[in-house]
Amino acid sequence: MPLCRLAGAGALTLLLLSSTVYAQSSTATGVSRAANPALSANVLYLVGKATRHDALDEPDERHAADADEHGAESPGARVQEFELRMTSFVDPHVKADLTLATHGVSETELEEAFVTTVGLPSNLALKAGKFLGSFGKHNPLHTHRYPFIERPMAHETLFGEEGLNEVGAEVSWLAPTDWYTEIVAGVYNGDNPALFSGEAEEDVAFLGRVRSLVDLNDATTFEVGASGLTGRHEELSARSNVVGADATLKWLPLEAQRHKALTLQIEYLRGDVGGATRHGGQVVARVRVTRRWWVQGSGDWLAGDDPTVRRVRGLIAYVPTEFQALRLQYGATFSGDEDTDHRVALQYNFTIGSHPAHAY
Amino acid sequence: MHRLMTAMAVCALCLVGVQAQAALRVVTTTPDLAALTRAVGGSHVDVYAIAKGSQDPHYVAAKPSYVRKVNRAQLLIYNGLELEVAWLPLLIQGARNRAITPGSAGLLDASLAVEKLEVPEGGVDRSQGDIHPQGNPHYLLDPRNGALVAGSVVERLRQLDPQHADDYDAALARFTSDLAQRTEEWEQRLSGAGPVSLIAFHRTWSYLAEWAGVHVANYIEEKPGIPAGPRHLVRLVDQMQAEGIRTVVLAHYNPTRSGKSLADRGKADLLVLPASVDAFDDVQEYVDLFERIVSALEAVRSGKP
């Protein structure tokens, strides 16, 4: 009996003790979740069928071999990308954003890891680390925010498979004008394989961008931007220069912000890599027809040394909530005298975790 | 020469005078907060509201032109409780304005002044729809909360612009006593008839319902932010018939189609109420909002909406 009572008391003590430990502040335990970063995860699945398996997606042959390995070209169903994002303030002065991305199921990379300053004087902001550079409209986008399933051919060719995503720093300045004007100056360690041929110790690349946006009325904005990038291509011992221009018209009626929208956008790039000039661009139209349905069309092209390649794409998206989307795309690619490539792809994506704010 | 010096001195004094007269630049996220701030700030504040009266404040585009407004603000007042979570963080981040960074006197969360309703108990996740984990954000639809928020705005204006503290206090006293008097009148008018039961589109009216003694029996949205499916509408029609509900209420910015079809099928009246200041041309002040809502509810009670 006393033993039983002892056991009971012991159990009670344990229970009390554990609940006390649990309730205690992290001062004693050192374990706290109060300052955990905000987490969100996004997954993209892709099912596709193409009439030709070459030439597209990987116009740069240096990457074609890699592409086969992680199945970027293979038809059928696959995980296109898994992205894990963490955001938190480091201290009162700096905010950090980290993104891990898995392309396919086997290759994980640190897609972005950067800090941004809070409250620098004189309308300045500093971003430093590894991040998608502020060149034009398409390059800064993460895969799940691409207007179409693949990137434009001009971006794919000039910036390579990963895009312009270097280690470096950007300073941006918000001009004190009535309309919105932002000027960005960037300096990177030129690692991009397509532009600078990989990691060299002393290769430095520079970026400049200016963009301006005016409100035409309560619902409509018009934005123009220009970007420039220069760096040394180590292998070719020559300079790589890319210039770009973009214009965007957006219509978003105040009374139906979730039901109607229209975006018209054009982006043009011209790259000179070791004496070889290539240029191209993309025209995009996106219409939100109802709360849940989007209809989109685009044309993009790439010209230069090889015969000009042209592509048209049409896309219908079903977006039941802002946290998931199902998109069906048809594309036709015309390249010189080769057969036309037709491809159909169905993409599904969802986001869980911290509520993302919606970039305009 | 002497004359020139005098002229220059006068000019300099004029400039100083102009600077002293410059109003405090206040940006608010909603037109309600703008109306309250204007009421207590008078000519000492220059107020700009980001969301327009015709807009649902949950869904505002984070336009770069707003970034410029926030960039120049000396005080940014927001509704809080995650009402503006989809757009305000980008505006603050893009604005590069040291005066309004989190934790500074130039940033005011108006929700701190009020007692929250519908704070979810237990875990919150998205299976429940776009639920607000800190409580229902539509607290300004109770006039008593308007007085509390006006008080917290004045506290902040005094801190940022101590020179005009007395004016702010006087304006607040006028505003709150006028609002209290009107509130009492509205309450009398509302108590005139029996209880009203209605179907609403979204959980917009929880604070209003508690104050006005209105019973919101159900919502057209199946879950917050999630549009109704056909089965849900059928259930609502059954419920309306079973409970004798004769009114379907929409906020002025809600889509009308599902509400109209429900009202038709349930043989009920469709009532469109202003959910914020600037919803309609004759709702420009905070008190106009309640005048319009109370009149509409009175009409419902007397059976002629």
Side-chain angles (χ1 to χ4, degrees):
Chain A
M1 188 65 180
L3 192 69
C4 195
R5 198 177 285 171
L6 193 67
L12 192 69
T13 314
L14 257 180
L15 198 74
L16 278 175
L17 197 69
S18 60
S19 65
T20 322
V21 167
Y22 190 72
Q24 256 170 4
S25 76
S26 59
T27 312
T29 62
V31 179
S32 167
R33 287 184 289 176
N36 276 2
L39 285 174
S40 66
N42 179 276
V43 188
L44 286 159
Y45 304 89
L46 193 60
V47 186
K49 184 91 187 124
T51 54
R52 276 177 50 204
H53 291 305
D54 56 326
L56 252 190
D57 292 344
E58 305 295 334
D60 195 326
E61 281 175 20
R62 273 170 299 191
H63 301 301
D66 300 348
D68 287 332
E69 263 171 44
H70 36 89
E73 287 286 296
S74 63
R78 62 190 172 92
V79 175
Q80 187 187 3
E81 191 188 75
F82 163 76
E83 198 180 273
L84 181 66
R85 190 164 182 166
M86 285 168 252
T87 303
S88 188
F89 282 91
V90 175
D91 62 18
H93 316 295
V94 166
K95 185 180 156 222
D97 282 275
L98 310 173
T99 309
L100 282 172
T102 303
H103 303 290
V105 292
S106 53
E107 184 205 358
T108 302
E109 61 152 12
L110 181 64
E111 188 167 85
E112 289 193 302
F114 63 89
V115 291
T116 35
T117 55
V118 180
L120 278 192
S122 314
N123 281 359
L124 292 170
L126 176 72
K127 184 174 182 179
K130 180 180 190 287
F131 53 89
L132 291 158
S134 303
F135 191 105
K137 296 301 284 182
H138 202 287
N139 190 69
L141 300 179
H142 284 242
T143 316
H144 60 93
R145 298 208 53 224
Y146 290 177
F148 291 85
I149 290 171
E150 313 88 4
R151 307 164 68 215
M153 292 182 294
H155 287 76
E156 192 80 42
T157 305
L158 288 167
F159 293 143
E161 195 190 345
E162 307 289 339
L164 178 69
N165 184 348
E166 311 293 278
V167 176
E170 284 181 0
V171 176
S172 63
W173 179 64
L174 183 64
T177 42
D178 278 344
W179 65 94
Y180 180 92
T181 300
E182 189 188 31
I183 296 172
V184 183
V187 54
Y188 314 113
N189 184 35
D191 286 347
N192 186 293
L195 286 171
F196 316 120
S197 80
E199 298 163 35
E201 292 114 45
E202 287 158 28
D203 279 7
V204 179
F206 300 94
L207 171 135
R209 170 153 174 86
V210 57
R211 68 181 184 120
S212 251
L213 178 140
V214 287
D215 285 62
L216 302 180
N217 56 41
D218 274 351
T220 319
T221 59
F222 182 65
E223 181 187 338
V224 287
S227 318
L229 176 74
T230 181
R232 209 176 74 87
H233 193 291
E234 205 195 359
E235 219 172 85
L236 302 171
S237 295
R239 285 212 82 74
S240 288
N241 301 312
V242 187
V243 291
D246 54 85
T248 308
L249 184 78
K250 251 186 200 184
W251 174 76
L252 199 58
L254 293 183
E255 296 75 21
Q257 299 254 299
R258 287 230 289 182
H259 299 266
K260 294 272 178 293
L262 169 71
T263 304
L264 299 174
Q265 187 170 75
I266 180 162
E267 181 166 9
Y268 174 78
L269 301 183
R270 185 181 189 90
D272 185 356
V273 181
T277 303
R278 277 181 288 192
H279 59 98
Q282 174 165 255
V283 184
V284 173
R286 309 177 75 185
V287 184
R288 187 174 199 168
V289 283
T290 67
R291 174 163 173 164
R292 291 170 167 140
W293 292 92
W294 291 76
V295 177
Q296 304 175 190
S298 89
D300 71 319
W301 74 98
L302 175 68
D305 304 340
D306 308 317
T308 301
V309 186
R310 293 183 181 82
R311 173 168 67 176
V312 289
R313 286 178 288 181
L315 185 148
I316 294 175
Y318 172 66
V319 189
T321 66
E322 62 192 287
F323 304 105
Q324 57 168 331
L326 187 64
R327 312 201 300 167
L328 179 67
Q329 179 186 291
Y330 163 77
T333 308
F334 313 94
S335 43
D337 20 315
E338 290 183 67
D339 290 344
T340 300
D341 176 78
H342 300 275
R343 53 178 62 198
V344 174
L346 182 68
Q347 184 192 50
Y348 173 70
N349 91 82
F350 68 81
T351 301
I352 55 172
S354 166
H355 192 298
H358 312 298
Y360 182 65
Chain B
M1 187 63 189
H2 190 76
R3 217 174 268 177
L4 186 67
M5 294 278 277
T6 315
M8 278 169 71
V10 168
C11 276
L13 274 174
C14 285
L15 277 176
V16 170
V18 166
Q19 209 160 23
Q21 286 296 306
L24 192 76
R25 288 186 301 278
V26 184
V27 172
T28 69
T29 54
T30 67
D32 298 321
L33 291 168
L36 291 172
T37 308
R38 281 192 196 104
V40 295
S43 60
H44 302 315
V45 294
D46 172 14
V47 187
Y48 176 82
I50 293 173
K52 304 294 172 279
S54 56
Q55 266 180 302
D56 183 338
H58 293 88
Y59 315 112
V60 173
K63 282 198 265 195
S65 28
Y66 300 144
V67 170
R68 257 307 273 157
K69 295 285 184 190
V70 176
N71 168 254
R72 276 183 289 198
Q74 291 168 289
L75 172 61
L76 172 64
I77 305 175
Y78 65 104
N79 185 90
L81 305 181
E82 297 206 347
L83 180 73
E84 309 100 329
V85 69
W87 49 278
L88 185 63
L90 287 175
L91 299 183
I92 293 178
Q93 193 185 324
R96 302 156 170 87
N97 181 351
R98 299 171 105 179
I100 54 112
T101 50
S104 53
L107 187 64
L108 176 62
D109 177 354
S111 74
L112 297 177
V114 304
E115 208 168 297
K116 286 96 187 156
L117 292 183
E118 295 173 0
V119 181
E121 285 174 26
V124 168
D125 70 45
R126 288 204 185 108
S127 65
Q128 296 150 290
D130 291 342
I131 197 161
H132 291 271
Q134 295 148 17
N136 186 313
H138 304 285
Y139 53 82
L140 282 176
L141 285 165
D142 177 340
R144 297 166 301 182
N145 284 340
L148 294 173
V149 169
S152 77
V153 170
V154 161
E155 204 176 297
R156 204 51 73 88
L157 290 175
R158 288 175 53 119
Q159 194 180 340
L160 293 169
D161 182 20
Q163 211 183 331
H164 298 115
D166 294 345
D167 292 353
Y168 294 134
D169 284 343
L172 178 65
R174 271 198 309 275
F175 177 77
T176 45
S177 80
D178 177 51
L179 184 62
Q181 195 190 329
R182 298 290 295 270
T183 303
E184 207 172 304
E185 284 168 28
W186 294 322
E187 284 168 357
Q188 270 171 9
R189 282 161 63 187
L190 287 167
S191 64
V196 169
S197 198
L198 42 83
I199 305 284
F201 185 87
H202 177 74
R203 295 173 189 271
T204 314
W205 312 107
S206 306
Y207 293 86
L208 177 83
E210 192 180 87
W211 169 68
V214 171
H215 174 59
V216 183
N218 212 332
Y219 303 93
I220 295 177
E221 286 184 335
E222 238 171 307
K223 288 169 178 176
I226 309 293
R231 264 180 306 173
H232 181 63
L233 289 178
V234 169
R235 276 198 299 269
L236 286 179
V237 171
D238 291 346
Q239 184 182 3
M240 289 165 72
Q241 278 160 1
E243 296 176 17
I245 297 166
R246 292 272 160 268
T247 312
V248 174
V249 168
L250 301 182
H252 65 283
Y253 50 63
N254 289 150
T256 48
R257 202 171 52 181
S258 55
K260 262 186 193 146
S261 118
L262 181 68
D264 284 348
R265 284 153 66 187
K267 298 187 180 59
D269 296 306
L270 186 69
L271 188 63
V272 178
L273 292 183
S276 77
V277 171
D278 197 28
F280 306 121
D281 287 343
D282 61 344
V283 183
Q284 293 302 318
E285 303 283 338
Y286 188 61
V287 288
D288 299 343
L289 186 58
F290 296 97
E291 186 53 46
R292 181 90 181 227
I293 291 172
V294 169
S295 301
L297 290 176
E298 272 185 314
V300 168
R301 282 177 174 171
S302 62
K304 313 181 283 258

